[in-house]
Amino acid sequence: LSLSATMNLPHEGYVVSGESLILDISFTVPPLAAGGVYQSPTVTITLPPGVTVNPDDVVSSVVQSRTLNQGAAGYQYLVLGLNTSLEAGKGYQIQVPVQTNNFELEDSMEEGDIPLTFPIEFQASYMDNEGKNQNLEISVSASTRVQASDGWRVEKAVETNNGQTVIDRVAEDGVE
């Protein structure tokens, strides 16, 4: 079994808070005994806090069901049920559009970069040559950085009736 994940980002190596990205998942499955099929194959993607996924937007010819489950601490789990007629050695792709939520990701690093990681797990069961049930599991993760700097400049001034400025302050990125 091979499983890989990459990200299609709007910028090289990062996404700006509020922008979208595409999570590209690729996998192939090993051959089974004659007539064997994979039972209940799934791909589960752990979605970190601060992102939104619409399960109906997932693109793949092999995905049959899409379920979004709530987890603890703001995490969600996108569970993709796959077709049981997976062909050995054939490459399969799944594209998952992900929206980063603006103003929800905390700026925790000096440069304003927030790490964003998506753990991905493939699971399936099958019968081996002796008729015993076996489980197949593999995990991978995809990561990027989110830039959350707003770059705002705020100017405020208070003037008297005769047009003279009494108070004049300029703040950039929240610093006066």
Side-chain angles (χ1 to χ4, degrees), residues 40-174:
S40 305
T42 60
V43 170
T44 302
I45 305 163
T46 302
L47 304 171
V51 301
T52 302
V53 170
N54 180 349
D56 294 333
D57 291 342
V58 173
V59 178
S60 178
S61 62
V62 73
V63 173
Q64 289 186 327
S65 66
R66 300 155 172 86
T67 306
L68 190 60
N69 298 321
Q70 294 297 320
Y75 284 87
Q76 294 182 326
Y77 302 94
L78 179 61
V79 181
L80 304 173
L82 308 180
N83 187 330
T84 57
S85 61
L86 300 173
E87 296 178 34
K90 180 178 178 181
Y92 295 97
Q93 288 79 35
I94 302 171
Q95 291 186 324
V96 181
V98 178
Q99 177 72 43
T100 60
N101 300 336
N102 205 13
F103 300 113
E104 288 184 22
L105 295 167
E106 293 183 20
D107 186 356
S108 61
M109 314 259 321
E110 281 184 29
E111 289 123 34
D113 289 350
I114 302 162
L116 199 59
T117 301
F118 298 86
I120 301 162
E121 184 176 82
F122 176 94
Q123 292 181 317
S125 60
Y126 63 94
M127 293 290 210
D128 66 13
N129 292 338
E130 298 172 4
K132 295 180 182 174
N133 196 29
Q134 301 292 328
N135 292 320
L136 180 63
E137 295 181 13
I138 188 169
S139 299
V140 70
S141 66
S143 298
T144 189
R145 300 174 297 121
V146 177
Q147 289 189 349
S149 174
D150 59 25
W152 291 356
R153 178 181 167 95
V154 177
E155 293 184 21
K156 57 184 174 181
V158 176
E159 296 182 12
T160 62
N161 285 340
N162 64 7
Q164 288 186 315
T165 300
V166 176
I167 300 172
D168 189 7
R169 297 185 184 202
V170 175
E172 292 196 32
D173 291 330

